[in-house]
């Protein structure tokens, strides 16, 4: 079983936006399913899926949605599900990918430890892991 995290954005990301970030970070996007992608570095892998607001509304309750909205400052419009393998490097990779998305769109991260993190919190965590 892999670890999972979720990137939420208050902007409606298009499939092209999703693909662009993944490709820029050295990843691959499925040609048959352009809303799915992966990034590999050495023995570490993360897998990503772009999901619509309908999925957010269907699978999460009002309390979760309110918590994410409070941190994001707006209603989440899209989510990117991130699954990562159990290597330590994958934990760095998914933070880097979050920062890539958050560079262009307002985002928060529901991380592998079930914490809701703002951009600045993720940046601090990423820098701490880099050493």
């Amino acid at each position: 079983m892999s670890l999972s995290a979720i990137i939420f954005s208050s902007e409606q990301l298009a499939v092209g936006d999703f693909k662009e970030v993944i490709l820029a970070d050295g990843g691959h996007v499925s040609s048959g399913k352009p809303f799915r992608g992966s990034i590999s570095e050495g023995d570490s892998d993360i897998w990503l899926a772009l999901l619509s607001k309908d999925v957010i509304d269907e699978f999460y309750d009002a309390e979760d949605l309110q918590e994410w909205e409070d941190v994001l400052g707006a209603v989440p419009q899209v989510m990117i599900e991130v699954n990562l393998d159990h290597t330590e490097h994958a934990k760095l990779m998914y933070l880097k990918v979050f920062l890539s998305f958050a560079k262009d769109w307002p985002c928060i991260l529901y991380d592998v430890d079930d914490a809701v993190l703002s951009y600045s919190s993720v940046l601090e965590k990423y820098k701490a892991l880099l050493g």
Side-chain angles (χ1 to χ4, degrees), residues 29-43:
V29 177
S30 172
S31 59
K33 296 181 181 180
F35 53 89
R36 295 198 179 274
S38 64
I39 301 173
S40 298
E41 291 180 2
D43 293 336

Side-chain angles (χ1 to χ4, degrees), residues 80-121:
I80 301 166
E81 184 179 44
V82 184
N83 289 295
L84 49 151
D85 66 23
H86 289 279
T87 63
E88 285 302 310
H89 187 66
K91 291 178 184 175
L92 185 67
M93 291 170 58
Y94 93 101
L95 296 176
K96 180 182 173 193
V97 167
F98 167 83
L99 294 170
S100 294
F101 279 104
K103 180 177 66 174
D104 293 322
W105 299 280
C107 295
I108 60 167
L109 179 66
Y110 184 57
D111 78 354
V112 296
D113 299 318
D114 296 326
V116 179
L117 303 174
S118 65
Y119 173 84
S120 59
S121 297

Side-chain angles (χ1 to χ4, degrees), residues 2-76:
S2 63
L3 298 171
S4 64
I6 304 170
I7 299 169
F8 291 100
S9 179
S10 58
E11 298 277 326
Q12 186 64 29
L13 278 72
V15 171
D17 299 327
F18 175 76
K19 288 172 58 173
E20 188 176 307
V21 170
I22 292 174
L23 295 174
D25 279 354
H28 303 281
V29 177
S30 172
S31 59
K33 296 181 181 180
F35 53 89
R36 295 198 179 274
S38 64
I39 301 173
S40 298
E41 291 180 2
D43 293 336
S44 300
D45 298 288
I46 61 172
W47 303 270
L48 302 103
L50 178 64
L51 303 167
S52 70
K53 181 163 178 20
D54 295 340
V55 174
I56 299 170
D57 293 339
E58 183 178 337
F59 288 101
Y60 298 101
D61 64 29
E63 188 177 311
D64 288 332
L65 293 171
Q66 188 62 56
E67 180 181 11
W68 300 327
E69 184 178 337
D70 290 347
V71 178
L72 188 56
V75 175

